[in-house]
């Protein structure tokens, strides 16, 4: 039954030309994708930092395995259900870079330690209570990271004293081990100018060093500092304060990251993710494609159209997108023609799809299930 369902849902057949792919479908251009994976792995190796790519971007165990094969220590994710999918897919070191407080979820997390090294973040004594209650069920100690707010203003402790109190209780708890500090500066990632991102990460580093020093003074052993995304990883890596980087979007990139001004030291990452769509209706001044916002996320703005800067996508509805000419003389695509959209935001776009269709030289080479698609528990 399952096989039949998978066969029905796959939008492509191995070896087919891309024109035969059923749209809308998410394509991964494999040459660009493989270069992105290799580039980040080489960067981390050259800088002497551990690479733990964020799996929330792709939610796909095949991609996680490629990242580990290229040198990543494991992956991170945001949800227990994502961790379950990655562990089932053979990843042996998974950090939930997030707070989890529900007892049932924490018991599921503890159960995963039978198969993998598992980490989690805490930022509140009540959350830590819940973790302490679940930890005795673990097969080995769970790595606990104290999350520090380094300027994002979302999760994480605000005051060093709160970190010290958490540390004392982690040290005393059965099956918990204080692994380090989670310090992700989310609001810095899409600051457009390199100088703005640099200033934000300098401030984050100062916060990290303050907490680390206080924890060490209190008697903490080796502490690992982990954080960073695609917009800033080169800054955390160069800071000397971070031991591990967590970029996610670099494997695919998206229009929003494309709008960042890139710093030379960040290297070059390429768009490898495209939403293939077909013109299904056509008028003199507008073409309508079969990719609405049920197939790509618009929280970070509209997609770009690959290779067609003379066209723009607008007025998305559930199942339709409208294509307009950027200037009056531009010819619109014809009915039946395919276009490739560069999604505004890669992570939530992938979450809308069951399959990633790997393309090389214009043909379907891979079909990867997005195992953790919709996994948000
Ligand atoms: N680390 C954490 C904790 C995150 O929440 C995210 C993304 O939001 C990342 C890393 C990766 O960021 P990006 O996909 O922008 O590289
Ligand atoms: Mn994102």
């Amino acid at each position: 039954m399952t096989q039949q369902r998978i066969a029905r849902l796959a939008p492509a057949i191995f070896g087919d030309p891309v024109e035969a792919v059923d749209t809308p479908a998410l394509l991964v251009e494999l040459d660009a994708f493989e270069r992105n994976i290799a580039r980040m792995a080489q960067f981390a190796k050259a800088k002497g930092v551990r690479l733990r790519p964020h799996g929330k971007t792709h939610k796909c165990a095949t991609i996680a395995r490629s990242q580990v094969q290229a040198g990543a220590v494991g992956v991170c994710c945001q949800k227990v259900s994502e961790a379950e999918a990655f562990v089932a897919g053979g990843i042996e070191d998974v950090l939930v870079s997030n707070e989890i407080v529900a007892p049932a979820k924490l018991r599921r997390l503890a159960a995963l330690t039978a198969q993998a090294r598992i980490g989690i973040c805490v930022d509140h004594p009540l959350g830590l209570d819940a973790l302490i209650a679940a930890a005795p069920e673990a097969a080995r100690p769970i790595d606990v990271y104290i999350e520090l707010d380094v300027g994002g203003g979302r999760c994480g402790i605000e005051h060093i004293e709160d970190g010290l109190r958490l540390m004392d209780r982690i040290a005393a708890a059965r099956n918990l081990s204080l692994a380090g500090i989670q310090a992700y500066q989310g609001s810095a990632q899409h600051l457009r100018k390199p100088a703005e991102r640099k200033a934000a990460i300098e401030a984050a580093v100062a916060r990290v060093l303050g907490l680390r020093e206080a924890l060490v003074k209190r008697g903490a052993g080796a502490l690992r500092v982990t954080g960073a995304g695609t917009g800033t990883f080169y800054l955390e890596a160069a800071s000397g304060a971070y031991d591990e980087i967590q970029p996610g979007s670099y494997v695919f990139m998206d229009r929003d990251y494309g709008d960042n001004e890139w710093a030379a030291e960040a290297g070059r990452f390429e768009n490898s993710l495209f939403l293939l769509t077909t013109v299904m209706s056509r008028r003199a001044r507008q073409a309508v494609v079969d990719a609405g916002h049920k197939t790509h996320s618009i929280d970070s703005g509209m997609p770009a159209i690959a290779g067609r800067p003379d066209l723009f996508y607008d007025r998305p509805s559930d199942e339709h997108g409208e294509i307009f000419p950027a200037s009056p003389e531009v010819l619109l695509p014809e009915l039946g023609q395919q276009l490739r959209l560069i999604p505004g935001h890669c992570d939530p776009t992938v979450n809308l799809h069951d399959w990633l269709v790997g393309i090389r030289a214009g043909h379907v080479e891979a079909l990867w299930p997005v195992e953790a698609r919709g996994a948000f528990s």
Side-chain angles (χ1 to χ4, degrees):
M1 283 309 281
T2 309
Q3 283 303 320
Q4 267 177 11
R5 185 175 131 79
I6 288 170
R8 184 162 56 80
L9 287 178
I13 293 171
F14 291 108
D16 265 1
V18 68
E19 293 76 22
V21 173
D22 194 23
T23 67
L26 259 192
L27 307 184
V28 177
E29 276 293 344
L30 294 172
D31 288 339
F33 166 83
E34 287 166 7
R35 283 193 292 268
N36 288 345
I37 291 213
R39 279 196 180 111
M40 190 60 86
Q42 280 156 13
F43 172 90
K45 197 169 168 212
K47 296 290 172 193
V49 290
R50 290 157 50 101
L51 172 62
R52 183 187 288 282
H54 217 298
K56 76 197 255 286
T57 299
H58 51 70
K59 289 176 167 272
C60 170
T62 314
I63 295 180
R65 287 192 295 268
S66 303
Q67 290 172 316
V68 168
Q69 215 164 18
V73 297
V75 296
C76 38
C77 59
Q78 304 290 56
K79 302 292 179 141
V80 174
S81 51
E82 289 178 323
E84 287 168 338
F86 286 128
V87 170
I91 305 301
E92 291 171 356
D93 188 337
V94 178
L95 165 61
V96 180
S97 59
N98 206 355
E99 282 69 26
I100 303 290
V101 300
K105 285 190 178 68
L106 289 166
R107 283 198 297 273
R108 280 162 48 200
L109 194 78
L112 287 178
T113 59
Q115 294 159 271
R117 179 168 193 159
I118 297 292
I120 186 177
C121 298
V122 294
D123 70 354
H124 195 285
L126 292 177
L128 181 56
D129 282 345
L131 179 61
I132 288 170
E137 295 180 26
R140 65 179 117 175
I142 298 171
D143 288 335
V144 184
Y145 291 80
I146 297 172
E147 181 165 9
L148 175 66
D149 179 0
V150 286
R154 187 175 60 184
C155 295
I157 58 162
E158 293 174 272
H159 307 290
I160 285 177
E161 308 75 60
D162 295 333
L164 296 175
R165 276 191 281 276
L166 291 171
M167 169 183 157
D168 291 345
R169 302 205 37 231
I170 295 163
R174 186 167 150 230
N175 268 354
L176 295 186
S177 136
L178 177 62
I181 300 170
Q182 165 75 15
Y184 172 67
Q185 213 316 6
S187 60
Q189 302 306 315
H190 290 89
L191 294 173
R192 296 304 184 204
K193 302 250 177 252
E196 297 170 314
R197 297 198 295 280
K198 187 160 181 276
I201 299 309
E202 277 167 8
V205 165
R207 302 260 306 145
V208 164
L209 293 177
L211 176 61
R212 190 171 70 180
E213 194 184 308
L215 294 174
V216 168
K217 211 158 143 197
R218 183 93 154 195
L223 291 174
R224 177 173 296 145
V225 177
T226 183
T230 299
T232 65
F233 67 92
Y234 57 99
L235 298 166
E236 284 91 339
S239 71
Y242 283 70
D243 307 285
E244 188 176 272
I245 55 172
Q246 305 176 349
S249 301
Y250 75 97
V251 286
F252 295 144
M253 302 301 281
D254 54 28
R255 199 230 73 250
D256 196 15
Y257 265 127
D259 286 351
N260 270 13
E261 226 177 86
W262 285 85
E265 62 270 39
R268 197 170 66 91
F269 292 90
E270 303 166 58
N271 285 118
S272 68
L273 186 78
F274 300 92
L275 182 66
L276 189 69
T277 183
T278 304
V279 176
M280 56 189 259
S281 178
R282 170 75 149 76
R283 294 181 186 179
R285 302 312 298 155
Q286 143 196 354
V288 181
V289 292
D290 61 0
H293 58 68
K294 282 188 182 174
T295 61
H296 63 100
S297 175
I298 54 173
D299 67 302
S300 300
M302 292 305 123
I305 304 173
R308 295 296 308 264
D310 55 343
L311 300 175
F312 66 94
Y313 177 108
D314 204 3
R315 291 180 19 109
S317 42
D318 285 358
E319 312 291 2
H320 303 77
E322 298 176 29
I323 306 291
F324 300 97
S327 55
E329 74 285 359
V330 171
L331 290 180
L332 283 167
E334 295 299 338
L335 197 83
Q337 197 176 321
Q338 293 180 339
L339 292 173
R340 289 181 176 209
L341 306 183
I342 299 169
H345 190 179
C346 56
D347 325 54
T349 295
V350 172
N351 187 50
L352 298 169
H353 291 259
D354 290 310
W355 293 94
L356 293 168
V357 181
I359 302 289
R360 201 182 319 263
H363 288 77
V364 177
E365 181 179 304
L367 286 169
W368 298 331
V370 185
E371 290 95 339
R373 165 221 197 314
F376 42 64
S377 70

